[in-house]
């Protein structure tokens, strides 16, 4: 064990050099760091939000709301399809997950089934010829339409992915520094923005669904009908931001939606008031052109998140595919809306579940408290281990220093996040690392007392202690990995520090002290172990 | 002065650890019952991680008037309002629940504004709002992590040493967890995600102690084939004594520094860890080993028939 093979010395030297090199950026001033050649490591420890201040937001994508909306769209589609072929029908209703309809003319029942089977729903990803809806005949001229279960799951997964993309675009346009946006679990999204002490700014842009639709105003409905709740099927009442009308009755089915926008920007209307300019893509422009051509003199409503922004009268067909949205905008609100439109709508509403903010001052205080406690913890360990074991204790202290350097170096290199509890994890790691040396030294003492020569005792010390050390480290590795996979936030940081610590401690406690003790034996040729 | 100091620790001690096991068993049993009673009747002081709600960390330029602020919370409709000291007298943690018809973020902004109106020198340094749904899931996942960690390390000990060792370790570690939870309950320390991390560390340290003790025990069982088990346990424990003292002291020193200087955030975490180290060392000697003694072990893997220890070797 104690023979100083070349690879052992090389490994130890390299690890010391790398440890110093990779942890160095943390203590150098930024100016020196900038002046250093590019091939040297530049990365500093990635401090958690609790240490540098910042905001943490956890959103849940409301996939249930999405599903309800999809069902309601499916019902409208069924209605439109049957009407387009003039098939008489009645009792169109939604019961739970199922849309059911009764065909009025029995002779056209088969035709209706075929029509709906052909035209409803979209292809299902991953299944050739599969569709996301099933249309089944139920006898008594009834037809039931429902989504297949896979469709709901796929929808939800897609919605979360899309939401992440949309949030990323929105936050990027705010200029927030390196936000981290991640999926958590099946339908949660976690946003961490370091240095951002005002989460309200983030929430203002994240929380809005920004679902823009253009819907025809249903002008056949009188205010009395609305009062009495008499609405034709397929129409709905929407609140309005328009100063001329508190609400509008609009057709539920959108003529064009925000998905078809290619651009949006803040602009001004002919009276110099702030407005939002938009442009449609090809298919959107065509649809919009057709509708405006056919509905001269009627109103359409511009609807944002179920609220009518304005409802202009169609004076001329708009075939250019671009236009402006007017309303009671200020320059800021017009700018914010165009930003939201550019980054796209959220496919489903987001609910905030968890929000945490730490100010930068508190973060700085935490760093100070953490560093002081780390320094004092480590220093008292150095002093104690040197007092207890003298020279060999000094070797163990050297190993400890290298251990700290390696942990900080690896954490800087991998950009793992150091959290406040992570500092406590670091301190405990050091304590357990000392345990490995204590185990080795105690074995040496046992062996020396049993009458072995110093060299043999030292050698056996390492050999015999190894299994205990491995067993002990495997158990802490297990609990570290469990914490890492089940924990979240600060616990994850804590766990990661522990896991890195297990590996560096094994290496430093065994190899560094071994090389030092080996070298000491070589130079002094002792007759007696100093700790015996 | 003999230096290094390790020479002061006697080389061979002859403590009869096992003899005190029945006494220790009674003490442990009482403490366990007391802890369970505390957990049932008083429960844990669940933090907002697990209960949901809003927590504001505040600082003022003068000592925080806690009772006055508590009364203000009541007036402005912050339910279940609590003002806790937090490190220095000029800092405090204000916790409350939003009412059902008020969104947490709105409630937190409103209460913050009301507080600043009444205490103009108040500053909010950190703000947390946790929804009830997430908090419930966090609690579940926290305990799941504890359970899985326990099972896996036990599996490892069973595989490495054998069933009786595994059982001894289970009982000892469960003993440690229950007592630690009892301590958290009696001191009213807030149970948060960080405390779950502390508990896992307690498990880790405690397992570490057990593994190292078992290792020596197993080695001695091979070395002294005819010595009664209780004597081997005593012998192994005496041989391990200097290591236990030194490692325990280093760990306590390191964490002691953190407890004194780490500030209010780290305090509960470190406090739990320190208790865990003490209790883990105790349970290795007085719970895990006596359990093995009662259960018995196979003395020699090579021989098909294990040596019968008989009732005589039981305490």
């Amino acid at each position: 064990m104690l023979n100083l093979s070349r690879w052992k010395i090389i490994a130890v030297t390299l690890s010391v050099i790398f440890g110093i090199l990779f942890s160095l950026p943390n203590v150098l001033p930024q100016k020196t760091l900038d002046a250093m050649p590019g091939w040297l490591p530049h990365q500093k420890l990635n401090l958690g939000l609790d240490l540098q201040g910042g905001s943490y937001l956890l959103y849940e994508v409301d996939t249930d709301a999405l599903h309800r909306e999809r069902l309601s769209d499916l019902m409208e589609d069924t209605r439109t399809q049957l009407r387009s072929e003039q098939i008489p029908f009645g009792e169109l209703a939604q019961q739970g997950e199922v849309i059911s309809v009764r065909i009025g003319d029995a002779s056209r029942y088969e035709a209706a089934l075929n029509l709906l089977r052909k035209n409803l729903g979209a292809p299902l990803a991953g299944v050739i010829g599969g569709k996301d809806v099933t249309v089944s005949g139920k006898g008594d001229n009834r037809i039931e339409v429902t989504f297949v279960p896979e469709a709901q799951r796929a929808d939800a997964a897609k919605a979360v992915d899309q939401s992440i993309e949309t949030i990323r675009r929105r936050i990027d346009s705010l200029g927030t520094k390196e936000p981290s946006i991640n999926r958590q679990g099946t339908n949660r999204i976690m946003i961490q923005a370091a240095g951002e002490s005002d989460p309200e700014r983030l929430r203002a842009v994240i929380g809005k669904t920004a679902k823009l639709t253009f819907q025809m105003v249903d002008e056949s409905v009188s205010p009395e009908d609305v009062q009495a709740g008499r609405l034709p099927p397929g129409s709905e009442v929407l609140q309005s931001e328009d100063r001329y009308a508190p609400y509008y009755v609009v057709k539920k089915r959108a003529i064009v939606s925000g998905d078809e926008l290619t651009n949006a920007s803040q602009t001004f209307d002919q009276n110099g008031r702030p407005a939002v300019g938009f442009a449609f893509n090809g298919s959107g422009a065509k649809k919009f052109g057709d509708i405006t051509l056919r509905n001269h003199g009627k109103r359409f409503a511009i609807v944002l998140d179920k609220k009518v922004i304005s409802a202009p009268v169609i004076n001329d067909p708009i075939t250019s595919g671009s236009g402006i949205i007017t309303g009671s905008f200020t320059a800021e609100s017009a700018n914010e809306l165009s930003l939201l439109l550019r980054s796209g709508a959220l496919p489903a509403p987001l609910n905030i579940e968890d929000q945490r903010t730490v100010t930068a001052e508190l973060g700085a205080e935490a760093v100070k408290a953490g560093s002081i406690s780390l320094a004092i913890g480590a220093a008292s360990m150095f002093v104690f281990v040197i007092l207890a074991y003298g020279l060999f204790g000094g070797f163990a202290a050297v190993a400890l220093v290298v251990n700290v350097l390696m942990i900080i170096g690896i954490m800087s290199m991998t950009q793992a996040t150091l959290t406040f509890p992570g500092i406590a994890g670091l301190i405990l790691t050091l304590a357990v690392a000392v345990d490995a040396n204590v185990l080795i030294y105690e074995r040496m003492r046992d062996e020396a007392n049993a009458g072995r020569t110093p060299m043999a005792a030292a050698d056996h010390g390492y050999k015999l202690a190894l299994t205990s050390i491995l067993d002990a480290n495997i158990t802490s590795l297990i609990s570290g990995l469990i914490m890492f996979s089940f924990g979240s936030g600060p616990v994850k940081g804590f766990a990661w520090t522990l896991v890195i610590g297990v590996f560096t401690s094994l290496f430093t406690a065994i190899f560094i002290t071994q090389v030092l003790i080996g070298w000491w034996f070589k130079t002094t040729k002792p007759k007696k172990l100093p700790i015996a | 002065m003999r230096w290094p100091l390790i020479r002061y620790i006697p080389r061979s001690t002859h403590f009869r650890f096992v003899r005190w096991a029945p006494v220790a068993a009674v003490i442990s049993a009482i403490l366990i019952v007391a802890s369970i009673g505390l957990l049932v009747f008083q429960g844990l002081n669940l933090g907002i991680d697990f209960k949901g709600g809003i927590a504001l960390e505040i600082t003022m330029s003068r000592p925080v008037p806690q009772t006055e602020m508590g009364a203000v919370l009541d007036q402005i409709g912050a339910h279940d309002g609590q003002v806790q000291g937090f490190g220095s007298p000029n800092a405090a943690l204000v916790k409350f629940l939003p009412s059902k018809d008020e969104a947490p973020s709105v409630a937190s902004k409103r209460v913050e504004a009301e507080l600043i109106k009444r205490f103009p020198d108040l500053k909010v340094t950190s703000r947390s709002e946790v929804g009830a749904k997430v908090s419930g899931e966090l609690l579940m996942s926290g305990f799941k992590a504890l359970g899985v960690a326990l099972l896996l390390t036990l599996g490892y000990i069973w595989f490495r040493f054998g069933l009786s060792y595994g059982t001894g370790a289970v009982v000892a570690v469960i003993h440690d967890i229950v007592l630690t939870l009892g301590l958290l309950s009696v001191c009213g320390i807030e149970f948060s995600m960080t405390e779950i991390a502390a508990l896992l560390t307690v498990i880790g340290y405690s397992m570490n102690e057990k593994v190292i003790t078992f290792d020596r025990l197993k080695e001695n069982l091979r070395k002294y084939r005819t010595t009664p088990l209780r004597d081997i346990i005593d012998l192994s424990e005496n041989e391990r004594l200097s290591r236990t003292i030194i490692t325990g002291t280093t760990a306590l020193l390191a964490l002691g520094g953190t407890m004194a200087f780490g500030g209010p955030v780290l305090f509960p975490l470190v406090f739990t860890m320190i208790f865990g180290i003490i209790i883990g060392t105790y349970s290795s000697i007085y719970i895990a080993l006596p359990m093995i003694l009662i259960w018995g072990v196979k003395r020699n893997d090579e021989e098909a028939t294990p040596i019968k220890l008989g009732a005589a070797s039981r305490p």
Side-chain angles (χ1 to χ4, degrees):
Chain A
M1 270 298 232
L2 274 182
N3 61 336
L4 295 172
S5 65
R6 192 167 295 153
W7 69 264
K8 222 181 261 174
I9 295 172
I10 291 176
V12 165
T13 321
L14 280 181
S15 64
V16 174
I17 292 173
F18 279 113
I20 293 174
L21 218 56
F22 279 97
S23 47
L24 207 54
N26 291 295
V27 290
L28 291 178
Q30 192 60 42
K31 243 169 85 187
T32 325
L33 209 56
D34 291 337
M36 271 179 5
W39 52 268
L40 282 171
H42 279 75
Q43 280 170 319
K44 291 188 179 197
L45 274 175
N46 181 12
L47 300 180
L49 291 181
D50 53 346
L51 287 177
Q52 61 170 319
S55 297
Y56 164 98
L57 298 161
L58 185 70
Y59 281 103
E60 188 175 69
V61 182
D62 192 344
T63 47
D64 288 342
L66 176 76
H67 188 60
R68 281 197 301 276
E69 193 186 307
R70 295 263 290 150
L71 275 170
S72 141
D73 278 353
L74 186 61
M75 187 157 97
E76 289 314 306
D77 281 345
T78 310
R79 185 197 314 281
T80 319
Q81 287 298 332
L82 292 174
R83 274 202 187 144
S84 68
E85 295 293 315
Q86 274 138 21
I87 298 174
F89 65 92
E91 295 166 40
L92 175 62
Q94 179 192 339
Q95 286 145 351
E97 296 282 298
V98 180
I99 313 284
S100 82
V101 64
R102 189 191 171 101
I103 303 302
D105 180 354
S107 65
R108 301 192 66 184
Y109 181 62
E110 281 302 316
L113 257 179
N114 288 333
L115 173 78
L116 294 181
R117 280 199 177 125
K118 193 169 132 239
N119 291 343
L120 283 188
L124 193 63
V127 185
I128 297 164
K131 271 196 159 188
D132 61 355
V133 295
T134 52
V135 178
S136 41
K138 285 287 163 191
D140 194 21
N141 289 340
R142 290 200 157 276
I143 296 177
E144 287 189 357
V145 184
T146 186
F147 283 106
V148 300
E150 294 84 26
Q152 194 179 342
R153 275 199 297 275
D155 274 353
K158 208 175 112 198
V160 177
D161 285 341
Q162 262 181 29
S163 303
I164 291 178
E165 268 316 299
T166 306
I167 291 174
R168 191 182 308 280
R169 281 196 297 268
R170 289 183 185 180
I171 295 186
D172 279 351
S173 59
L174 277 183
T176 299
K177 199 185 81 191
E178 294 170 32
S180 105
I181 305 164
N182 293 305
R183 172 197 289 263
Q184 202 178 62
T186 50
N187 59 349
R188 296 233 171 89
I189 298 172
M190 183 180 75
I191 299 157
Q192 286 174 294
E196 177 72 63
S197 297
D198 183 12
E200 299 308 317
R201 204 166 75 101
L202 291 179
R203 284 185 57 175
V205 296
I206 295 171
K208 287 226 172 71
T209 313
K211 189 173 160 93
L212 181 78
T213 50
F214 295 79
Q215 284 162 266
M216 289 310 294
V217 173
D218 188 346
E219 284 164 301
S220 67
V221 188
S222 68
E224 291 75 41
D225 288 337
V226 176
Q227 288 270 289
R230 285 193 300 269
L231 285 180
S235 288
E236 61 187 338
V237 179
L238 291 183
Q239 298 298 311
S240 162
E241 285 183 356
D242 194 326
R243 68 200 89 159
Y244 302 112
Y247 64 85
Y248 281 98
V249 181
V250 300
K251 303 266 194 209
K252 275 189 192 165
R253 203 72 177 117
I255 45 179
V256 193
S257 78
D259 309 345
E260 312 223 43
L261 287 181
T262 53
N263 197 12
S265 58
Q266 196 234 310
T267 174
F268 296 96
D269 67 6
Q270 63 267 42
N271 301 321
R273 285 186 304 241
V276 177
F278 64 87
F280 281 123
N281 63 14
S283 78
K286 188 174 175 303
K287 274 191 249 174
F288 200 57
D290 289 350
I291 298 271
T292 48
L293 190 69
R294 277 194 274 123
N295 292 289
H296 180 79
K298 290 187 182 161
R299 279 178 187 277
F300 71 94
I302 300 170
V303 181
L304 181 72
D305 291 343
K306 296 271 170 202
K307 250 196 178 152
V308 178
I309 296 180
S310 62
V313 177
I314 301 169
N315 292 323
D316 300 296
I318 303 167
T319 47
S320 65
S322 65
I324 61 169
I325 303 170
T326 56
S328 41
F329 289 121
T330 62
E332 289 87 63
S333 67
N335 194 29
E336 191 186 292
L337 177 60
S338 55
L339 184 162
L340 291 177
L341 293 181
R342 271 202 309 277
S343 45
L346 289 173
L350 293 180
N351 301 326
I352 184 99
E353 294 279 356
D354 190 349
Q355 171 181 338
R356 289 157 200 248
T357 322
V358 175
T359 58
E361 302 95 79
L362 190 68
E365 249 173 64
V367 171
K368 213 169 89 193
S371 324
I372 291 178
S373 59
L374 182 61
I376 288 179
S380 52
M381 274 163 53
F382 293 153
V383 173
F384 180 72
V385 79
I386 292 173
L387 284 178
Y389 289 110
L391 178 68
F392 278 24
F395 292 157
V398 171
L400 268 187
V401 174
V402 178
N403 198 351
V404 176
L405 286 178
M406 281 179 77
I407 294 178
I408 293 177
I410 292 177
M411 291 197 69
S412 306
M413 189 175 75
T414 57
Q415 286 291 289
T417 311
L418 179 67
T419 57
F420 215 10
I423 294 179
L426 195 60
I427 292 166
L428 190 89
T429 303
L430 297 184
V432 176
V434 174
D435 186 41
N437 282 120
V438 174
L439 283 169
I440 294 168
Y441 294 165
E442 290 300 307
R443 273 291 183 180
M444 287 185 189
R445 298 178 67 211
D446 288 351
E447 297 299 313
N449 292 334
R452 288 193 201 269
T453 63
M455 188 73 174
D459 213 21
H460 275 79
Y462 278 99
K463 237 178 250 163
L464 295 173
L466 193 64
T467 46
S468 300
I469 295 173
L470 280 179
D471 281 334
N473 277 287
I474 288 171
T475 48
S476 40
L477 187 64
I478 291 174
S479 62
L481 290 175
I482 297 295
M483 275 192 252
F484 190 74
S485 49
F486 284 91
S488 66
V491 176
K492 254 201 158 78
F494 180 86
W496 187 236
T497 318
L498 267 190
V499 170
I500 293 178
V502 165
F503 289 103
T504 56
S505 305
L506 273 178
F507 178 80
T508 53
I510 296 173
F511 287 109
I512 300 224
T513 57
Q514 216 179 98
V515 167
L516 290 173
I517 289 175
W519 165 80
W520 176 77
F521 265 105
K522 227 174 170 176
T523 47
T524 58
K525 309 225 163 26
K527 299 254 174 335
K528 196 170 166 297
L529 274 184
I531 53 173
Chain B
M1 171 102 176
R2 291 180 299 168
W3 198 72
L5 297 183
I6 189 71
R7 298 206 179 111
Y8 279 101
I9 297 180
R11 242 197 321 252
S12 54
T13 50
H14 299 281
F15 292 112
R16 305 294 307 269
F17 288 100
V18 176
R19 189 192 296 189
W20 296 101
V23 180
V26 172
I27 295 174
S28 282
I30 293 171
L31 289 177
I32 291 264
V33 171
S35 295
I36 292 176
L38 272 169
L39 289 174
V40 170
F41 292 110
Q42 183 169 327
L44 289 168
N45 173 15
L46 291 184
I48 66 160
D49 281 0
F50 299 134
K51 209 169 73 180
I54 298 166
L56 304 173
E57 232 175 280
I58 56 157
T59 55
M60 290 175 78
S61 51
R62 60 194 161 107
V64 176
Q66 294 196 12
T67 30
E68 195 189 331
M69 199 173 282
V72 168
L73 285 178
D74 268 349
Q75 285 165 29
I76 59 181
H79 300 275
D80 252 4
Q82 247 184 313
V83 184
Q84 287 176 2
F86 199 65
S88 85
N90 290 8
L93 192 65
V94 177
K95 292 193 293 182
F96 58 93
L97 295 173
S99 54
K100 280 210 172 62
D101 47 338
E102 197 176 18
S105 59
V106 178
S108 116
K109 276 278 165 193
R110 187 177 61 82
V111 169
E112 194 179 324
E114 293 272 0
L115 282 177
I116 290 175
K117 208 155 77 190
R118 274 160 233 232
F119 306 97
D121 58 331
L122 180 143
K123 260 174 52 187
V124 174
T125 50
S126 110
R127 187 189 309 121
S128 313
E129 299 152 13
V130 182
K133 201 163 156 198
V134 173
S135 59
E137 285 169 31
L138 278 178
L139 189 62
M140 275 312 294
S141 75
F143 277 106
K144 207 155 85 187
L146 272 181
V148 175
L150 199 56
L151 279 178
L152 277 182
T153 36
L154 290 176
Y156 180 74
I157 292 184
W158 185 358
F159 159 79
R160 237 338 241 109
F161 295 96
L163 184 57
S164 58
Y165 294 86
T167 318
V170 185
V171 175
V173 170
I174 289 177
H175 163 267
D176 297 350
I177 295 175
V178 172
L179 289 196
T180 311
L181 287 175
L183 177 85
L184 294 181
S185 176
V186 80
C187 298
I189 290 179
E190 192 172 292
F191 195 72
S192 62
M193 255 339 243
T194 323
E195 281 301 313
I196 295 264
L199 273 180
L200 282 163
T201 321
V202 168
I203 294 182
Y205 191 89
S206 182
M207 283 291 183
N208 185 26
E209 286 291 313
K210 268 117 219 139
V211 163
I212 282 161
T213 321
F214 290 169
D215 218 52
R216 180 55 73 107
L217 178 64
K218 208 169 181 192
E219 185 184 320
N220 280 338
L221 282 173
R222 274 197 301 270
K223 223 155 89 196
Y224 312 101
R225 297 200 172 191
T226 51
T227 319
L229 181 58
R230 61 184 305 147
D231 293 343
I232 294 196
I233 289 180
D234 274 341
L235 174 74
S236 309
E237 207 36 71
N238 278 305
E239 283 179 351
R240 281 264 139 276
L241 197 58
S242 54
R243 174 260 159 199
T244 307
I245 292 171
I246 291 190
T247 302
T249 314
T250 359
L252 291 180
L253 275 178
L255 290 174
T258 316
M259 186 153 97
F261 299 98
V265 182
L266 279 185
F267 186 86
L269 174 74
V270 177
F271 181 75
T272 313
M273 284 190 194
I274 287 181
F275 178 77
I277 286 173
I278 297 168
I279 204 75
T281 310
Y282 161 82
S283 76
S284 305
I285 304 173
Y286 282 112
I287 308 287
L289 291 180
M291 280 298 297
I292 291 176
L293 188 57
I294 295 169
W295 194 282
V297 285
K298 266 192 196 172
R299 292 301 286 268
N300 196 335
D301 294 338
E302 286 90 2
E303 290 173 13
T305 48
I307 295 164
K308 275 246 154 56
L309 289 163
S313 64
R314 290 182 189 186

